Amino acid sequence: MGGGSSVKSQWFALTIGFAFTLSASLYLWRKKSKPDFPNGDATEKIHVLQASLKGALDKCAAERQGRIRAQKALREALSKSSNDKFASTSYPMAPIGVVRSCFSTRNGTPRQPLLVPLAKASLMFDPTRVPQASLEGLEGYSHCWIIYVFHLNTDIEKLWKHPSQSKFKAKVRVPRLKGERIGVFATRSPHRPCPIGLTVAKVEAVDQHKVLLSGVDLVDGTPVLDIKPYLPYCDSIHGAIVPDWVKVDNLLAITSVNFSQGFSSSLADCWSLVEKKSLYSSPEEFQSLIRQVLSWDIRSVSQRSRPVKTKGGIGDDDNVENTICQDSKVESWQDKEACEQDSSNVVYHLILEGIDVSYGVDSDANVVVEKVSLPSRMPSSGKMAT
């Protein structure tokens, strides 16, 4: 009996001790798991943190508003830095890429895009300015806009002069008007106050920092400022109106394009030397390019109305009579030597991928391509497409 009571007393004491130990451990765990709030008031701490966060957000908003006001003030100060209301201001723009085109010179480059579907080019982007990720998604579009610089304008140096000294021409000659003059902003002439061009091309492929294009009207070496995807729903304007003279196509139309008997052999000789660097897969495809380019009369207004005469032929610069349009001055040896006179026939020259294409045009606008050859002198501004 007494032994039983003793066991019960010991068991009771052990139970009480365990309960006390458990309660103490639970109290210490709860104390450690809670932050050390002032006065133990968690609600007050939350209010303090919320107020601190709101203050930080208000400070960021105030800083942003201040930055916007400072930027606006800077723009206004720049615009008022001269008495001239339209004083030129520099903007951080530089070419982001360059075009490697099948057109080695301006002569023969189409006047408008997509007129020559086989006209190929490779747009090479500067990897230091254009990350490869910038081109992701472009392959999903069939066409793109290209903003570029008319870098071969012979009067481009005048643009750095004061407007009163730039001798900017308000009117230019238009081929479709047989050389008549019209306001430059009613044309797509390259000779503009800001020599910036806009064109559209078909996107064939996107390969890392390179975009392959077709249907281009860009000369080799053209600097590119930007590209944008073509959006049919807003870029194609239904019911757009143009002047009647723009609709006249027969003035620049060619009746037929034929090739001489010796053309194929001359092309085969040249092709073996340029095949690896060509944008075209075969001499037959290159011949098709020639046919498409010459299906439009690429001669200047002066050349169509007055043949070029030369005493010494190609290479005799002193005896070449300039027939290039007065608003498109001679700038390279290909332009100056775009045509020569052989007996009673005028022979014209077109440079594609560094290959000299010789052809003639009769009075009925029939073209005969005589031969192709590699010029003995290559242009400094025109590079063979790679």
Side-chain angles (χ1 to χ4, degrees):
M1 183 73 176
S5 298
S6 177
V7 171
K8 288 181 179 180
S9 298
Q10 291 178 359
W11 175 255
F12 180 75
L14 291 172
T15 302
I16 294 299
F18 177 75
F20 177 79
T21 304
L22 181 62
S23 298
S25 299
L26 182 60
Y27 170 78
L28 293 173
W29 177 79
R30 285 179 177 177
K31 187 175 182 180
K32 289 181 179 181
S33 63
K34 292 182 179 180
D36 186 17
F37 295 133
N39 302 323
D41 190 354
T43 303
E44 181 180 353
K45 184 64 175 180
I46 291 175
H47 289 327
V48 172
L49 293 174
Q50 288 177 339
S52 177
L53 177 60
K54 183 177 183 301
L57 293 176
D58 290 342
K59 183 179 179 181
C60 289
E63 290 177 349
R64 182 175 183 275
Q65 292 298 325
R67 183 170 64 253
I68 292 175
R69 286 193 295 269
Q71 291 172 343
K72 182 179 179 181
L74 176 60
R75 290 195 298 269
E76 292 177 351
L78 290 172
S79 64
K80 296 178 181 179
S81 60
S82 173
N83 294 328
D84 187 355
K85 183 178 178 181
F86 299 101
S88 60
T89 302
S90 298
Y91 293 95
M93 294 185 186
I96 60 173
V98 65
V99 172
R100 295 307 177 204
S101 168
C102 63
F103 299 107
S104 302
T105 66
R106 293 188 313 172
N107 177 46
T109 303
R111 292 182 172 91
Q112 302 297 340
L114 306 179
L115 294 179
V116 180
L118 276 177
K120 296 183 180 181
S122 177
L123 175 49
M124 313 291 293
F125 288 95
D126 181 358
T128 63
R129 296 180 58 86
V130 180
Q132 185 174 334
S134 303
L135 299 174
E136 290 183 4
L138 182 62
E139 70 280 358
Y141 297 89
S142 64
H143 295 76
C144 70
W145 294 105
I146 303 171
I147 303 174
Y148 62 97
V149 179
F150 289 110
H151 68 300
L152 293 182
N153 282 2
T154 56
D155 57 354
I156 197 169
E157 74 283 352
K158 297 179 181 179
L159 300 179
W160 275 269
K161 298 180 180 179
H162 189 274
S164 62
Q165 301 176 346
S166 65
K167 297 182 180 180
F168 165 68
K169 294 182 179 180
K171 291 188 174 184
V172 295
R173 296 183 185 273
V174 180
R176 290 176 184 268
L177 288 177
K178 298 181 179 180
E180 293 185 20
R181 295 180 182 272
I182 196 170
V184 65
F185 292 129
T187 74
R188 295 191 176 185
S189 168
H191 301 277
R192 321 179 72 83
C194 293
I196 297 176
L198 173 66
T199 188
V200 66
K202 184 178 180 182
V203 179
E204 296 289 350
V206 179
D207 182 13
Q208 297 182 354
H209 284 91
K210 179 173 61 177
V211 178
L212 301 178
L213 305 167
S214 65
V216 300
D217 59 345
L218 300 171
V219 69
D220 188 56
T222 297
V224 172
L225 299 175
D226 192 17
I227 63 170
K228 304 177 187 294
Y230 177 87
L231 304 177
Y233 76 90
C234 60
D235 289 340
S236 178
I237 303 175
H238 179 70
I241 299 175
V242 298
D244 290 338
W245 62 266
V246 177
K247 304 175 185 178
V248 179
D249 288 333
N250 57 356
L251 182 64
L252 302 177
I254 289 294
T255 304
S256 66
V257 179
N258 302 291
F259 296 87
S260 69
Q261 293 182 351
F263 171 82
S264 297
S265 59
S266 66
L267 178 58
D269 294 338
C270 292
W271 190 255
S272 61
L273 301 176
V274 302
E275 180 179 7
K276 293 183 179 180
K277 295 183 178 181
S278 177
L279 290 167
Y280 299 88
S281 59
S282 66
E284 291 76 20
E285 187 181 22
F286 186 78
Q287 181 174 347
S288 297
L289 169 67
I290 297 175
R291 182 185 298 276
Q292 288 186 6
V293 172
L294 295 181
S295 64
W296 297 86
D297 196 338
I298 63 175
R299 297 174 299 172
S300 68
V301 174
S302 182
Q303 286 175 341
R304 291 197 299 270
S305 60
R306 179 167 51 89
V308 171
K309 298 178 181 179
T310 178
K311 299 177 181 178
I314 289 184
D316 191 356
D317 296 348
D318 295 333
N319 295 313
V320 176
E321 180 180 352
N322 177 24
T323 64
I324 304 298
C325 178
Q326 294 179 12
D327 291 310
S328 179
K329 297 179 181 179
V330 174
E331 64 184 356
S332 64
W333 69 272
Q334 291 93 340
D335 293 330
K336 186 178 292 186
E337 298 162 355
C339 47
E340 60 175 323
Q341 186 166 327
D342 180 15
S343 300
S344 59
N345 298 322
V346 177
V347 179
Y348 298 93
H349 295 269
L350 167 68
I351 310 296
L352 296 174
E353 289 199 313
I355 297 178
D356 183 355
V357 181
S358 303
Y359 68 98
V361 185
D362 64 19
S363 58
D364 295 324
N366 295 298
V367 171
V368 176
V369 183
E370 297 293 342
K371 63 178 181 177
V372 296
S373 59
L374 292 177
S376 58
R377 289 183 293 167
M378 294 297 293
S380 58
S381 59
K383 302 175 182 178
M384 186 175 295
T386 57

